[in-house]
Each structure stands twice: as structure tokens, then as C-alpha cells.
Amino acid sequence: MKNITKLSLLIFSFVFIMSCDNEFDEMNKSKTGATSIDPVFILNRAAINSSFPASTLIFEMGIVQQIISPNSGVLTGANYNQDNRASTQVNWQTYYRNVIRDTKDIISQTTDDPARTNLLNMARILQAHAFMVLTDSYGDIPYTDGGDGYNTQIFFPAYDTQESIYPKLIQELSEASAALNASGKVETADVLYGGDVAKWKKFGYSLMLRAGMRLSEANASLAQSTVAAAFSGGPILDNADNVYVRHDANYSNPLGATLNSTEAANIYLAKPFVDVLQATNDPRLSAIAIRYVGATSGPTQVVEVGSYEADDQIGMPMGHDNGTVAAAAEADGLASFYDYSQVDRRRMTSRAAPAFFVTAAQTNLLLAEARFRGWITTGSAAQYFSDGIAAHMDQLATFGAASAVAATDRDDYIAANPLGAGTELEQINVQYWIASFLNGPEAFANFRRSGFPVLEVNPYPGKEVDFINRLTYPNSEISVNTENVNAAIATQGPDDLATKVWWHK
């Protein structure tokens, strides 16, 4: 009897414990925690992460001679025309690990969901933008399998040639833009356009126009047909449709975060950029620049000595390092190199400054070139040219009232700088260079495509190349995806700054 009693107690205790475990499981389940994420919020994360990383200050903007630093170390780049894979890998990691991973996740979740077709096609368009930035910067990249590690566990993606990527991008943009449906679900949580399908269509067709123009020297027939189709679809022509990310204290602009912290006194406007704006009395110089007159150190760069006057601005000459920049500043009559002009970090590169991806200014200028080439037959090249300049000047007000260009100054500049016979391509693409300021990847790409503006070779004596033609693959990719990287190098050419991407002729 005693043994039976003990056995009964043991069984009862076991059942009691098991029932308690079940209750604990229920108690440990969160009644408020999210178990899934609406994919529109993943799209928002991808959009925010599309803002250009601070490394574009070191390479892309320096390559096109708009912004430079005389410092070496982590800032070594275009001012020295030397490789710095620690910087060039930032673009790669930002877009693959964040933007493309997220857009592919959205596509995977929504492909078979007829209620979210608009979200699916929005993700396709944003993803195409990321892939364009990457292939334009590096050349051959993982496209078909790129970013698939998260969803399909393809951890070592093969590389696609740029020549094969561009037709796929054009097809993707064409299909996604056409498939957007105003009668479908409106993704109101979308941070770019609030789900406005008409605006997303314009985004897609503007990227398609950009892709077509990128091929102007590599495949003229495909370029022409793509441009005509994009124009027919309806690209961005007005600033109200510009594609940009709005930043704030919680989601700061990467450029602004850098220029308002450790590198505030280390990065300057380049002399070629300042000189072009001054030569034509361009009112945008006052909207962009500040010079801390008489500054001898970072702490002396204070608002009280700051000047926005165009005539006061002096750009830092290219090719100087810490050992020679002091003499250059003295020769320019400055107190120190801290006295050179900077982009104003309290206006255009504040932490809350917007980041523009595709704009009416850029699109109008591309259409000016397309009309000049005869690839579209509507409108005049001169009018698209003027509209592009006007759009960029008006766009500057988005950075704040202190960066706004007065309408009279805008109109006077346009009247004094019409599109002239015999210099059309140069004029259009110089203006594109200006209109793409702070969009380093796009300024870099169009400079190589068009050959304008005509810039002098960087004079730095230790430079590796006269002009940087592409960014190099990051060490992290080389060490992990070695076989596929080597295959790409065998096809494209040496993994250095001199090798040209396919469309760069």
C-alpha cells in the first residue's frame, strides 16, 4: 500500500508539473509583440538605406571634383586617386546587405499575393535603382542571385556581366512601371510617395530613361528605343514628383551625420566645382557653400565668420595632402586650409537634409540630350535644358529657406546661359553634373558616360591613375566569394581603378 501511495503521488506530481509548464508557455507568450512585419515597412527600411553613404564624399564626389579632403588615412580616395577598399566596400555592403536583401524579401512575400501587386512593383523599382548604383560603380556584379542569401540561402552568388544586366534592368523597370495599378491597394505607409501609384510610375520611367541614356555610347539602338519608351511612359518632369528620402534626428542623412561630427573640418568644396559656378554667376553657389573667413582650425569655423557670398568662395585645389595644402592655402591668400569653402553643413548637409535619388532637374536634362540626339520628337532641347536648370534651382528650397534661389536670380541665370549651337552636349552634361551634386554615384556615372565636364587630371604625384573609372570590389567580398569574384575579374579586367565598366566607351 505504501508503494502504491508513493507511485500515485509521483504520477500526480508529474501531471501537475506538466500542466504548470503548459501554463508557463501561455504566460510567456507576448500578447502585444509583433509576430510578422507588413512588407511595406520593409520597403521603407530599404528606401531609407538607399540614402548615399558617407563614402561617396571620399570617392564619387571627389572623382568628379566637387568635394575633396586633403587628409589621408580613412579619407584617402579621389583627392589622391588611390584605392581605399575600406571606403569602396561601404556602397557594396549598404546596398546588398540592406536595400537589395529587403526588396528581394518583399518580392518573395508579395509575388503570389494579388492584393499587394502595387507593393511588389514598387519594390522592383527601388531594387532596380540599387542595382544600377552598384553596376555603374563596380561593373560586373551579382545580379540574378545577388541578395538571395536571406531568402534562398545562395551565399556565394555568381556575377553577371554589366552587358547582360542592363537589358534586364530595362525590362524590369518597364514591366514594373506598367504593372502599377491605380485601382489596386494604396500603400499609404510608403515613406517615399505615400503609395501614390502615379508618382511611382514616374519614378520607374525616370530610372528607365536614365538606364537608356547610360547606354548612349555602348548600344545606341537599345538606348534610343529605351529612351523613347520611357518618355512615352511618363518620367518625372516636376519637382513635386522628385524621389527623395526625408531625414530627421532619428533617421539622419549619412552625409550630414559625417559632416556634422568627426569630419566636419576635413572635407571641402573642390576648386573646379566652385570655379564653374563662379564663372557663370550661378546663384546656386550661395545656396550651397559657406566659407569661414580667416579660420585657422576646426573650432574657428563658426557662423560668425561664415560667408555665403559667391565672390568670397574659394575651392580647394585638387591633389594636395597634409604636407602641401598649407602652401596652397597661403598661395590663395588664406589663413589656412580651414579657410577654404565647404558645403554648408547647417543647410545642404545637415543631419536632417533630404537625399535625392531621381529629380525633375536630372530628367529634363536627359530629355534635352535625347531631343538633341533625335531620340524623342516632342519639345525642344533648349526648353528641356532651361526647365532642368530651373527645376534644380527650385529644388534647393527643399533643404530649407536659407538655400532657396530667388526666382529673379533663377530667371536671370537661365536667360544669360541659353543652350548654344555646337556646345549642346557639353552644356547639358555640365548642368547635369551640377544638378547631381550630393548624388555622388549618379554624377560619377554620367561624367564617365558623357565625358563632361572636361576636368583636368588630378596632379597628385602619387596617384595610381589619371582618372578613376570604377570602384574596386571590397576585401570582404574577395575573401568570402573568391571563386566568383575571380571569374568576374577574368571577364571584366583587373580589379583596379583604371578598368572601365562595359558602357564606358
Side-chain angles (χ1 to χ4, degrees):
M1 177 66 75
K2 189 179 291 185
N3 290 336
I4 294 173
T5 302
K6 288 181 178 179
L7 180 61
S8 299
L9 288 172
L10 181 62
I11 293 171
F12 175 78
S13 300
F14 179 74
V15 171
F16 177 77
I17 291 169
M18 290 298 292
S19 66
C20 287
D21 283 348
N22 289 336
E23 291 176 4
F24 281 135
D25 287 344
E26 290 300 315
M27 290 174 62
N28 287 330
K29 287 182 180 178
S30 172
K31 304 299 183 183
T32 59
T35 57
S36 64
I37 300 175
D38 189 315
V40 71
F41 297 117
I42 302 176
L43 181 78
N44 289 343
R45 183 170 61 189
I48 291 168
N49 282 319
S50 296
S51 294
F52 307 114
S55 62
T56 59
L57 294 164
I58 302 167
F59 272 94
E60 289 93 324
M61 294 184 211
I63 295 167
V64 298
Q65 300 185 8
Q66 291 178 332
I67 285 180
I68 56 169
S69 172
N71 296 335
S72 56
V74 296
L75 298 180
T76 298
N79 188 47
Y80 293 77
N81 274 24
Q82 293 177 352
D83 200 357
N84 178 0
R85 290 172 193 258
S87 291
T88 59
Q89 74 177 1
V90 176
N91 299 35
W92 185 280
Q93 293 174 346
T94 296
Y95 281 90
Y96 272 120
R97 293 182 180 180
N98 300 310
V99 183
I100 294 169
R101 182 198 67 176
D102 283 344
T103 53
K104 288 215 167 186
D105 186 21
I106 298 163
I107 292 167
S108 175
Q109 291 188 49
T110 58
T111 294
D112 297 322
D113 184 353
R116 307 301 291 271
T117 56
N118 280 337
L119 180 59
L120 164 67
N121 290 297
M122 290 153 61
R124 293 170 72 188
I125 290 169
L126 188 62
Q127 180 174 273
H129 173 259
F131 273 126
M132 279 185 68
V133 170
L134 287 168
T135 189
D136 289 344
S137 298
Y138 297 92
D140 295 357
I141 60 169
Y143 176 77
T144 303
D145 297 331
D148 276 341
Y150 181 70
N151 285 308
T152 60
Q153 287 73 57
I154 298 177
F155 300 121
F156 309 105
Y159 280 55
D160 300 74
T161 65
Q162 188 178 73
E163 185 174 5
S164 70
I165 291 170
Y166 254 88
K168 295 173 185 175
L169 283 173
I170 291 167
Q171 180 179 357
E172 187 78 352
L173 290 165
S174 176
E175 291 177 357
S177 301
L180 287 164
N181 183 3
S183 299
K185 176 179 172 60
V186 178
E187 302 288 350
T188 55
D190 152 41
V191 296
L192 292 180
Y193 286 134
D196 189 320
V197 167
K199 291 180 184 289
W200 271 96
K201 278 182 175 284
K202 291 178 182 180
F203 181 10
Y205 285 122
S206 297
L207 278 179
M208 188 174 163
L209 170 66
R210 180 181 286 182
M213 291 304 297
R214 198 79 88 228
L215 305 184
S216 61
E217 308 306 313
N219 187 334
S221 60
L222 179 58
Q224 182 174 358
S225 63
T226 301
V227 166
F231 180 67
S232 178
I236 296 167
L237 297 174
D238 188 272
N239 280 334
D241 300 323
N242 285 344
V243 188
Y244 66 100
V245 169
R246 300 156 181 82
H247 293 103
D248 59 22
N250 294 315
Y251 298 98
S252 62
N253 185 313
L255 306 183
T258 294
L259 293 179
N260 283 279
S261 57
T262 56
E263 308 304 336
N266 294 327
I267 295 176
Y268 294 82
L269 289 173
K271 177 177 172 60
F273 185 63
V274 172
D275 286 357
V276 166
L277 296 177
Q278 281 181 330
T280 55
N281 296 313
D282 195 318
R284 285 172 287 191
L285 183 56
S286 294
I288 292 170
I290 187 170
R291 180 174 153 232
Y292 298 101
V293 180
T296 56
S297 65
T300 62
Q301 291 179 333
V302 293
V303 173
E304 289 75 17
V305 298
S307 173
Y308 304 129
E309 294 298 322
D311 290 343
D312 287 342
Q313 306 308 319
I314 302 175
M316 181 177 285
M318 296 293 298
H320 288 282
D321 57 25
N322 294 110
T324 63
V325 71
E330 184 178 359
D332 285 330
L334 304 181
S336 72
F337 78 80
Y338 297 98
D339 201 350
Y340 281 115
S341 297
Q342 295 180 305
V343 58
D344 188 1
R345 56 185 179 266
R346 296 175 181 85
R347 294 184 294 163
M348 284 195 70
T349 52
S350 72
R351 293 180 186 272
F356 288 89
F357 303 154
V358 185
T359 66
Q362 292 169 325
T363 301
N364 275 289
L365 290 166
L366 290 178
L367 290 175
E369 181 174 341
R371 183 68 183 90
F372 171 73
R373 290 177 179 271
W375 291 354
I376 59 172
T377 57
T378 303
S380 70
Q383 189 61 56
Y384 288 124
F385 177 73
S386 297
D387 289 348
I389 297 172
H392 186 241
M393 291 191 179
D394 292 344
Q395 174 192 326
L396 296 179
T398 312
F399 292 96
S403 287
V405 173
T408 52
D409 292 338
R410 176 199 65 203
D411 295 343
D412 288 347
Y413 177 87
I414 291 171
N417 296 276
L419 190 63
T423 58
E424 291 94 339
L425 289 179
E426 180 172 11
Q427 284 184 268
I428 290 166
N429 286 289
V430 167
Q431 287 296 331
Y432 197 91
W433 176 63
I434 299 169
S436 299
F437 180 65
L438 297 181
N439 183 337
E442 183 58 22
F444 178 35
N446 197 67
F447 166 67
R448 287 172 291 159
R449 176 194 74 85
S450 69
F452 297 112
V454 177
L455 301 173
E456 294 183 6
V457 172
N458 188 323
Y460 186 71
K463 62 180 179 288
E464 295 178 14
V465 292
D466 286 342
F467 281 101
I468 295 173
N469 292 323
R470 63 178 286 274
L471 303 185
T472 51
Y473 297 128
N475 287 331
S476 57
E477 177 71 3
I478 294 170
S479 63
V480 172
N481 198 15
T482 310
E483 183 176 344
N484 288 315
V485 173
N486 287 338
I489 293 170
T491 300
Q492 178 171 253
D495 183 28
D496 58 29
L497 302 175
T499 296
K500 292 183 177 181
V501 302
W502 166 73
W503 53 249
H504 183 187
K505 305 299 182 184

